[in-house]
Amino acid sequence: MKTNQRAAPVALRQPIHASMPDSHGHFGPFGGRYVGETLMPAIIELEKAYARISALPGFQEELRRLLKHYAGRPTPLFPAARLTEKIGGAAIYLKREDLAHTGAHKINNTLGQALLARWMGKRKVIAETGAGQHGVATATVAALFGMECRIFMGTEDVRRQSANVQRMELLGAEVVPVESGTGTLKDAMSEAMRYWVSAVRDTFYVIGSVAGPHPYPMMVRDFQRVIGDETKEQMLEAEGRLPDMLVACVGGGSNAMGLFYPFIDDPGVEMVGVEAAGYGIATGKHAATLGAGSVGVLHGSKSFVLQDEAGQIMEAHSISAGLDYPGVGPEHSLLKEMGRARYEAVDDAGALHAFHELCALEGIIPALESSHALARAMVEASGQPRTRLIVVNLSGRGDKDLGIVQQARA
C-alpha cells in the first residue's frame, strides 16, 4: 500500500523516550497497526498483556535472570586494537552480541517474547526468519519453555542458511519453507502473519525485528535495549565517557534500535545505521530502504519501504539474508526524518572485505549482517583522531555465512 512519497517533517523533541510511540503505536507519522479485523483482537490482547505483565517485578526479575544465566549477558565491549591500528584513525570497539547464546542478539528479544507468551498462557509460538538467527533463537527458547514451535522461512533462505535450518530442527521446531515471492524474509513474514490469523487463540507470534503492527516495534526495541544499556555502562567504565559514534547494520533494524535507544537523548553521540546496498543502489538490486525507498505500509505498519510507482513491494537484494528485507522498523524512519540518526549503505563487496579484515586482524568471524556495519565504521574511523571512540554492534557470528563467503570467492 503506497501512501505518500515523503513524510511530513518531524520536530526533534527532547526527551522522546516518554512520548514514542503514542497510545496508538505511532512514531510521529510512522508505525501504527494496519491489520485486518480478524487479527486486531490478538494485537489488542498482546498490547494490554505487554503493558500489564512487563511492569510486574516478577516478570522483569525472571527475564534478568534468564538474560544473565541463560543468554550469557552482559556481552563484552572489546577494543579492536589491531583493526584500529591498521585503519590509523578513531578507536573502534566491538559490542560482542555474537557471543550471546545462539550466536546473535536475537536471543534477547526471543527470551522476552517467549517469556511473555508463557505468562499469557500461550503454549505455541511461531516466527519468521531470514538468516536463521531469529529462527534458531525462537526454537531455542521454545525448547527451554517446552512450547510447540513453527518457523516460516523462504526457500531461498533455506538454501542459503541450511546449517541454521538443521539447528532449528534439532531444537524441535518445524521449519516451514515458503515458496511464494522471492523466497526470502518478506515472504516468510507474510506467510507467518497469514498463519497467525488462523491460530491466534493459542499461538504467540514472535516477530524478530522492530517491524510489524503496534506493539511489536516498541516491544522488540524494549527487549533489545539491553545492548545499548550495557554499552553505555561499559564505555563509561573503559574510557570514562560516552562513545562519539554508534554504528549498526539495519535490515528490519532490531540490533540497531537496541544499541541506539538508550543514547537517543545524548546529542553528543552520533548514530549511524548501515543498510545493504547489494550490487549497488543504481542497479536496483539492493535493500537500502531508508536510502532509496518511500513511505508506505508493509506487514502492518507505516514506514519507508521499497515499492514501485503503483505501490507494489519490490524485491530486495543483499548477500546477507538477514538484511534482505524491503521494509524497516518505523522508529528508524522517525530517527531519519528527525535527523537524529544517519543512514548509509554498504554493498556486498564492501561487506565481504570487512568480513575478511576482522577475521585476519582480530580472530573474529562476523556475520555478513554485522560486516556491513563494520565496513562503514572503517570508513568513518579513517582520518579521525585516535581519541574519537566508535562502537560497532557485532550483531551475530558468521559461521552460518561461510558457504556464502566461499561461493563469493570462487
Side-chain angles (χ1 to χ4, degrees), residues 1-228:
M1 179 191 300
K2 192 166 186 175
T3 54
N4 54 302
Q5 292 295 319
R6 290 188 58 80
V10 178
L12 177 61
R13 302 183 183 92
Q14 298 288 352
I16 71 168
H17 286 187
S19 60
M20 297 292 174
D22 65 18
S23 59
H24 299 289
H26 289 102
F27 299 87
F30 306 105
R33 44 190 174 208
Y34 297 80
V35 297
E37 292 181 3
T38 54
L39 203 53
M40 191 60 81
I43 293 292
I44 293 174
E45 177 196 21
L46 174 61
E47 179 187 23
K48 291 180 178 177
Y50 177 64
R52 178 177 58 84
I53 295 173
S54 66
L56 297 175
F59 177 85
Q60 289 296 334
E61 176 54 34
E62 187 172 4
L63 181 57
R64 278 194 294 269
R65 180 176 56 78
L66 287 167
L67 288 171
K68 178 178 180 180
H69 298 290
Y70 189 72
R73 305 205 70 87
T75 58
L77 182 67
F78 175 71
R82 294 194 67 215
L83 180 64
T84 297
E85 188 64 29
K86 180 170 182 178
I87 294 170
I92 296 176
Y93 279 79
L94 306 175
K95 180 57 175 168
R96 298 291 309 276
E97 290 300 293
D98 58 312
L99 294 180
H101 181 44
T102 72
H105 71 290
K106 296 292 187 182
I107 191 69
N108 309 322
N109 170 50
T110 55
L111 271 174
Q113 288 198 47
L115 186 61
L116 177 62
R118 194 172 70 167
W119 279 60
M120 292 173 66
K122 307 281 187 179
R123 303 299 302 170
K124 299 178 182 178
V125 294
I126 62 170
E128 84 297 331
T129 194
Q133 292 170 318
H134 175 58
V136 169
T138 303
T140 297
V141 297
L144 176 68
F145 294 149
M147 294 174 161
E148 291 185 32
C149 180
R150 177 175 293 191
I151 306 293
F152 295 86
M153 189 173 190
T155 51
E156 172 63 12
D157 291 336
V158 167
R159 181 190 66 79
R160 290 194 290 185
Q161 302 290 342
S162 59
N164 274 339
V165 173
Q166 293 177 40
R167 291 189 181 98
M168 285 182 265
E169 292 176 340
L170 187 64
L171 290 161
E174 177 190 358
V175 179
V176 181
V178 177
E179 297 181 354
S180 59
T182 56
T184 55
L185 179 57
K186 170 182 70 69
D187 310 299
M189 192 165 181
S190 297
E191 189 61 28
M193 295 192 82
R194 276 194 289 270
Y195 177 84
W196 194 32
V197 170
S198 66
V200 291
R201 190 162 55 184
D202 63 353
T203 301
F204 189 105
Y205 181 11
V206 183
I207 289 183
S209 196
V210 286
H214 177 67
Y216 280 104
M218 172 184 68
M219 186 168 63
V220 176
R221 175 199 70 191
D222 292 349
F223 287 137
Q224 290 290 5
R225 67 166 294 166
V226 65
I227 302 170

Side-chain angles (χ1 to χ4, degrees), residues 131 133 161 249 320-323 367-373 395 400-401:
Q133 292 170 318
Q161 302 290 342
C249 63
S320 166
L323 302 183
L368 283 173
E369 290 87 344
S370 315
S371 299
H372 287 73
S395 57
K400 67 181 179 58
D401 296 320

Side-chain angles (χ1 to χ4, degrees), residues 329-403:
E331 195 164 7
H332 281 293
S333 292
L334 176 65
L335 294 179
K336 168 187 164 71
E337 290 297 294
M338 289 165 55
R340 180 62 188 93
R342 171 163 56 92
Y343 294 88
E344 305 286 352
V346 167
D347 63 17
D348 291 351
L352 283 167
H353 173 71
F355 175 95
H356 288 295
E357 287 286 81
L358 198 66
C359 290
L361 293 170
E362 302 290 355
I364 297 170
I365 303 174
L368 283 173
E369 290 87 344
S370 315
S371 299
H372 287 73
L374 189 67
R376 185 64 204 181
M378 291 160 64
V379 172
E380 298 284 345
S382 180
Q384 295 295 313
R386 185 62 55 89
T387 53
R388 190 168 170 80
L389 307 174
I390 297 177
V391 174
V392 181
N393 196 30
L394 212 62
S395 57
R397 71 186 186 212
D399 50 340
K400 67 181 179 58
D401 296 320
L402 295 184

Side-chain angles (χ1 to χ4, degrees), residues 244-256:
D244 297 292
M245 179 183 289
L246 308 171
V247 186
C249 63
V250 176
S254 68
N255 91 91

